[in-house]
Amino acid sequence: MAKARFTPKRLLIVHAHPDDESLFTGHIIAERVEAKAEVFVLTLTRGERGKVKLDELKGLEGNLSAMGAFRTSELKEAFAVFKNVQHGFAGSRAYLDSGMRINAFGKPAKLRKLDELSLAAVSAHVIADDITAKILEFKPDAVLTYNRSGGFGHPDHKMAHVATALAIRSLSRKLGSRAPKFWVISEPRERFDVEIGDAKTAQLKKAALEAHASQVAVGPETYSVVPGKEIRYDRPERIRLASPGVFFGIRKIITFIWAIPLGVLLALAGTMMHQVKANDEAQTPIGLILALVMAASLAIALRLLRRSRGALYLVTASLIATILWLSQRQPGGELFIPGNDVGTIWAFGSIGVCALVILIPKIQPGASVSYTHLTLPTNRE
């Protein structure tokens, strides 16, 4: 089998934050520009939750709009080093840097509380649509991004990989052999197809990293992002040719499968409690009330948390099927949902509640967040 070659004339690179383009692909950008190729870097966020290395810039931390603006200016300086590099920020909305925490196993993980604008909280398919639009506009020969583990595991890097893979797979079905090749960054000790970097590109990578002084500690021969882990500027960058697997094609379906048993559980729980009445003169149908409130709460929560109707459709479908089954007399003679008023209200009311929430045009969380004025302190667990 012939060894893969990396010689695209039009290269699209997808990164999550400003500075990633210089840290992970500085050699590659420099080499492709030198080869007269057209290079476009698509940055998904403005790095709003970055931690600065310089004491005089500590005041930026927690001020998301200010941090984003400062890192954007650093990014422009880095591109001035490479020259002839096109750049744009992605987003049908302005995605925010998600930040990260180190979990109990010492691995990077999502923050426990993510606002809805954070990249890691957005549907991968929404981001994939933005990447697809850029691919169709720029028409690259190759698209390069992080590997499946997101390099060192940052949640935004992982999201960038998934979204890019989804975009490539979708275009491969439509364009066939005309779709761009999909390349990912290989980490140390991983298989790689191409190694890029020499003394000349190292000088450009060093200058570009110096532009990101808020995030990268730069020295004469090495740089570091994590204290105590020094990396030489002349260390080559390694990449490999990849192919989005079948999983990416059915990912959207898989993400909703959990909703089917959720609808079944809702039907069973509501059926178990709907005939319970309070021990008062009015015989208040407290069980029915609680069951309907439970159905409404679940439906609204799905619309808020998922920001789509897909999961709610499946919950409602499995709820209807289970209620129809429970309304029939079982082989042993049991009738779990009797034909009395309370049973009828539960059967049709629960379905009606879910249908009503589906029909509501738009449901938003109580507080709206504006990117340009967002200066709240962040959770840096």
Side-chain angles (χ1 to χ4, degrees):
M1 181 177 178
K3 187 175 181 181
R5 297 173 66 246
F6 187 75
T7 56
K9 295 301 182 184
R10 299 178 68 83
L11 172 63
L12 174 66
I13 304 176
V14 180
H15 279 300
H17 316 106
D19 79 4
D20 289 344
E21 82 296 329
S22 302
L23 286 168
F24 300 106
T25 55
H27 286 293
I28 295 168
I29 294 173
E31 188 273 337
R32 283 292 85 203
V33 170
E34 177 65 21
K36 307 300 182 185
E38 293 189 51
V39 178
F40 192 107
V41 176
L42 184 67
T43 310
L44 301 182
T45 79
R46 290 159 177 80
E48 295 86 353
R49 290 192 170 93
K51 292 185 177 182
V52 299
K53 296 289 189 292
L54 305 174
D55 291 338
E56 58 267 32
L57 297 176
K58 285 293 183 182
L60 291 173
E61 292 187 0
N63 187 330
L64 302 189
S65 56
M67 178 68 85
F70 188 86
R71 294 189 67 182
T72 297
S73 67
E74 289 185 320
L75 183 59
K76 291 179 180 178
E77 291 182 23
F79 284 131
V81 171
F82 293 118
K83 300 179 182 177
N84 300 321
V85 176
Q86 301 176 59
H87 174 258
F89 286 106
S92 50
R93 61 183 184 182
Y95 303 126
L96 291 177
D97 180 355
S98 306
M100 70 173 193
R101 63 186 176 88
I102 303 300
N103 63 22
F105 301 99
K107 301 293 184 181
K110 295 180 184 179
L111 296 179
R112 291 192 175 92
K113 293 182 180 179
L114 284 176
D115 59 70
E116 65 172 2
L117 296 178
S118 296
L119 187 70
V122 181
S123 167
H125 288 269
V126 173
I127 305 167
D129 288 343
D130 289 326
I131 297 171
T132 299
K134 179 53 62 179
I135 293 174
L136 293 174
E137 175 191 329
F138 182 62
K139 297 180 174 60
D141 306 319
V143 177
L144 171 65
T145 192
Y146 316 93
N147 61 10
R148 185 171 57 182
S149 63
F152 62 88
H154 194 295
D156 286 346
H157 293 190
K158 291 181 177 180
M159 180 61 78
H161 170 84
V162 170
T164 305
L166 284 170
I168 293 293
R169 181 165 180 84
S170 174
L171 288 170
S172 295
R173 292 199 300 268
K174 296 176 182 177
L175 303 178
S177 60
R178 293 183 291 117
K181 300 296 183 183
F182 183 40
W183 291 80
V184 298
I185 300 164
S186 295
E187 294 301 303
R189 296 182 296 279
E190 282 188 339
R191 178 184 66 80
F192 66 93
D193 293 324
V194 177
E195 189 175 62
I196 298 173
D198 55 27
K200 186 175 181 179
T201 58
Q203 290 303 311
L204 291 172
K205 176 163 182 166
K206 178 180 179 182
L209 287 173
E210 287 173 344
H212 291 291
S214 73
Q215 305 297 308
V216 184
V218 296
E221 302 294 335
T222 62
Y223 65 93
S224 67
V225 178
V226 179
K229 187 175 181 180
E230 302 290 329
I231 303 172
R232 291 185 60 84
Y233 297 108
D234 58 5
R235 187 175 81 174
E237 293 162 353
R238 295 172 171 178
I239 57 177
R240 68 175 182 271
L241 191 60
S243 177
V246 176
F247 169 76
F248 284 98
I250 61 173
R251 183 182 179 91
K252 192 170 185 177
I253 298 173
I254 292 175
T255 58
F256 288 124
I257 285 180
W258 55 267
I260 295 175
L262 190 61
V264 174
L265 289 174
L266 173 62
L268 292 173
T271 298
M272 290 175 63
M273 69 173 67
H274 81 283
Q275 291 289 334
V276 177
K277 296 181 179 180
N279 190 20
D280 55 22
E281 293 183 4
Q283 292 287 293
T284 304
I286 188 169
L288 174 63
I289 295 171
L290 289 175
L292 292 175
V293 168
M294 179 175 62
S297 300
L298 177 62
I300 293 171
L302 286 173
R303 283 290 304 273
L304 287 173
L305 295 175
R306 301 292 297 183
R307 294 188 292 281
S308 71
R309 294 179 175 84
L312 185 53
Y313 287 146
L314 289 182
V315 166
T316 305
S318 59
L319 172 71
I320 292 172
T322 307
I323 283 180
L324 287 175
W325 174 66
L326 293 173
S327 299
Q328 308 300 315
R329 192 169 297 279
Q330 305 303 308
E334 301 93 341
L335 187 62
F336 297 111
I337 302 179
N340 57 20
D341 290 343
V342 175
T344 300
I345 292 173
W346 160 241
F348 290 99
S350 59
I351 297 170
V353 163
C354 291
L356 179 61
V357 176
I358 288 174
L359 292 173
I360 295 174
K362 192 173 184 179
I363 298 180
Q364 292 287 353
S368 82
V369 184
S370 169
Y371 169 78
T372 56
H373 297 93
L374 190 55
T375 56
L376 297 176
T378 60
N379 180 359
R380 293 187 174 277
E381 297 172 79

